[in-house]
Amino acid sequence: MTSDRAALWAELREWRRDFHRHPEFGFEENRTARLVAERLRGFGVQVTEGVGGTGVVGTLRRGRGNRCIALRADMDALRIPEQGERPYRSAKPGVMHACGHDGHTTMLLGAAKVLAERGEFDGTVRFIFQPAEEWGKGALAMLGDGLLERFPFDEIHGIHNLPGLPVGEFRTRAGAVMSAEDNFEIVLRGIGGHASRPQSGREVLVAACTLVVELQTIISRRISPAQTAVLSVTELLTDGTRNALPGLARVLGDARSFNPKVSEEIEMWMRRIAGGIALSHDCTVDVTYTREFVPTINDPAAADAALGAARVALGEDHVKMLENPNTGSEDFARFLEHVPGCFAFLGNGETSMPLHNPGYDFNDEAIPFGVDYFVQLVRQQLSPSGSPA
Ligand SMILES: [Zn+2]
Ligand SMILES: [Zn+2]
């Protein structure tokens, strides 16, 4: 058993490093998806490819139970040039696995292998390998391709590695666990002109700067202090140049919150403030406000189930409730809009570089913990002896 496990971890580490060496951007995960499908078939899992672009769904049935649990991993990499000299560094210039999706894919393959070989559950497991998480588009693409109708399931679970948290540690919480991400672009249009004669045009830079400052009042003055939200202006671009006042300014940024109502309020106040500033500066304004990611809201029962399975798999002392939601965003949230489930965090080590950093690397030591957690979760939720724990 121990040597079996050691052999499994060694094999999974090789797979993870191979995925790392061959990163693929969202909706281009052709090699990754092909390897995932081949390996799942090799374990005896029924496989459907091309779900929502490059997505792969594996189905594994045991016994007669009619409950179905879905486990999800993401497969895409980022357009970030990798730094560092590790032997399995990215072979594709400008693209790297800087978010650990190589590790997520590997851990789910490991769980599929163990569950296919040893079973010990009664019902159906769906293994969902999704494309394009970083774009916030992959989950929607799979849902739009009939995921829920073609491969129905009762609950869904996923994990993300967390730099800074020791390896072998597990965290999650009921309710909001990751934030919404909204993007905005505000375009002010006036009339540019000579820097020496501002009165003869309708320049927009002062209006844009006023707007940047006024936007800061949305979170501090308009949103209830009981809510959590953040709004950041990240770019201010104009068509001005030395000695020419701009006639066009673009103010871009990002807002995050954990409640769809708060996101609506931010948009409403942004439109009102932008309109008022445009009026007082005699220019016109267009506000584009888009919701890239919805908040990730864990179902309380699913979060309890996840914490319970993690306590068995990782040990009581290594599993804690996450105190505060994470202000990052995840398109796993799109699945949770339809089916109850839980998204959880697994330690990537205290010395891990942050996610999306060019020096980041998924920690192979975390693989056994992710595999054991998924396997235990399936056995618990599809318990042959009756109802889920
Ligand atoms: Zn990411
Ligand atoms: Zn990620």
Side-chain angles (χ1 to χ4, degrees):
M1 181 70 182
T2 311
S3 67
D4 274 9
R5 278 172 69 85
L8 176 63
W9 307 144
E11 181 176 40
L12 292 176
R13 187 178 60 229
E14 285 316 303
W15 290 359
R16 205 287 294 181
R17 294 181 174 193
D18 176 69
F19 288 136
H20 190 91
R21 199 178 294 123
H22 301 283
E24 294 173 299
F25 194 65
F27 292 126
E28 295 169 7
E29 307 93 335
N30 296 302
R31 178 185 186 273
T32 308
R34 179 173 52 75
L35 286 172
V36 164
E38 269 174 21
R39 284 173 189 154
L40 289 174
R41 284 198 185 96
F43 310 152
V45 172
Q46 189 188 323
V47 176
T48 308
E49 290 174 80
V51 183
T54 42
V56 179
V57 179
T59 299
L60 183 66
R61 290 192 179 83
R62 290 288 183 269
R64 295 184 178 175
N66 51 20
R67 281 202 48 91
C68 180
I69 183 170
L71 307 176
R72 171 275 206 175
D74 38 17
M75 300 187 290
D76 57 321
L78 286 148
R79 291 207 208 281
I80 294 176
E82 182 165 1
Q83 282 173 7
E85 290 305 323
R86 52 187 75 91
Y88 51 90
R89 64 173 289 163
S90 169
K92 191 178 286 183
V95 182
M96 76 170 286
H97 271 294
C99 206
H101 299 184
D102 47 350
H104 303 165
T105 297
T106 302
M107 292 190 291
L108 190 52
L109 280 174
K113 186 172 193 200
V114 173
L115 288 164
E117 281 174 3
R118 307 221 183 100
E120 297 172 40
F121 66 92
D122 182 28
T124 304
V125 190
R126 308 267 192 214
F127 301 98
I128 298 176
F129 292 86
Q130 81 150 75
E133 190 285 325
E134 299 288 357
W135 281 33
K137 300 271 185 271
L140 283 175
M142 293 189 87
L143 290 165
D145 203 4
L147 179 77
L148 302 180
E149 298 75 29
R150 295 161 66 195
F151 311 98
F153 45 84
D154 303 306
E155 61 182 299
I156 182 162
H157 294 261
I159 41 182
H160 205 293
N161 74 93
L162 191 62
L165 185 67
V167 170
E169 293 286 317
F170 182 98
R171 301 286 183 271
T172 192
R173 73 199 296 274
V177 68
M178 297 196 80
S179 84
E181 181 187 345
D182 304 343
N183 287 172
F184 58 86
E185 175 172 4
I186 305 174
V187 181
L188 293 160
R189 286 190 181 81
I191 299 174
H194 201 287
S196 69
R197 299 181 48 79
Q199 78 281 12
S200 56
R202 285 187 283 128
E203 71 88 10
V204 292
L205 186 58
V206 173
C209 292
T210 307
L211 179 61
V212 171
V213 174
E214 283 298 308
L215 290 175
Q216 309 309 314
T217 66
I218 298 178
I219 305 302
S220 63
R221 304 288 88 180
R222 299 298 176 189
I223 302 299
S224 160
Q227 296 287 347
T228 304
V230 54
L231 183 154
S232 293
V233 175
T234 55
E235 289 172 87
L236 169 53
L237 309 163
T238 78
D239 65 352
T241 182
R242 182 176 167 270
N243 75 29
L245 290 162
L248 183 132
R250 295 165 62 218
V251 175
L252 295 97
D254 172 303
R256 291 168 191 248
S257 55
F258 298 97
N259 178 335
K261 279 212 178 70
V262 172
S263 163
E264 280 171 29
E265 285 177 35
I266 293 172
E267 179 181 359
M268 189 271 285
W269 282 108
M270 181 175 291
R271 290 185 183 281
R272 210 182 260 203
I273 289 168
I277 287 174
L279 188 67
S280 62
H281 289 260
D282 195 21
C283 55
T284 63
V285 67
D286 280 310
V287 178
T288 307
Y289 196 95
T290 56
R291 292 182 172 82
E292 306 296 319
F293 289 86
V294 296
T296 307
I297 313 287
N298 282 343
D299 174 73
D304 270 355
L307 288 162
R311 284 190 190 103
V312 174
L314 280 67
E316 193 82 32
D317 297 346
H318 302 289
V319 178
K320 293 195 178 71
M321 287 277 268
L322 190 68
E323 280 180 29
N324 297 306
N326 184 313
T327 51
S329 303
E330 240 302 326
D331 88 344
F332 186 81
R334 299 290 183 180
F335 300 119
L336 296 182
E337 290 189 305
H338 302 279
V339 181
C342 177
F343 194 67
F345 299 101
L346 189 65
N348 201 54
E350 288 155 297
T351 57
S352 167
M353 294 296 266
L355 298 172
H356 296 202
N357 181 290
Y360 168 87
D361 190 24
F362 181 84
N363 192 332
D364 290 320
E365 302 298 316
I367 293 173
F369 298 102
V371 172
D372 287 347
Y373 162 66
F374 276 142
V375 168
Q376 176 57 30
L377 182 65
V378 168
R379 289 179 178 158
Q380 171 189 288
Q381 296 304 91
L382 305 181
S383 163
S385 58
S387 55

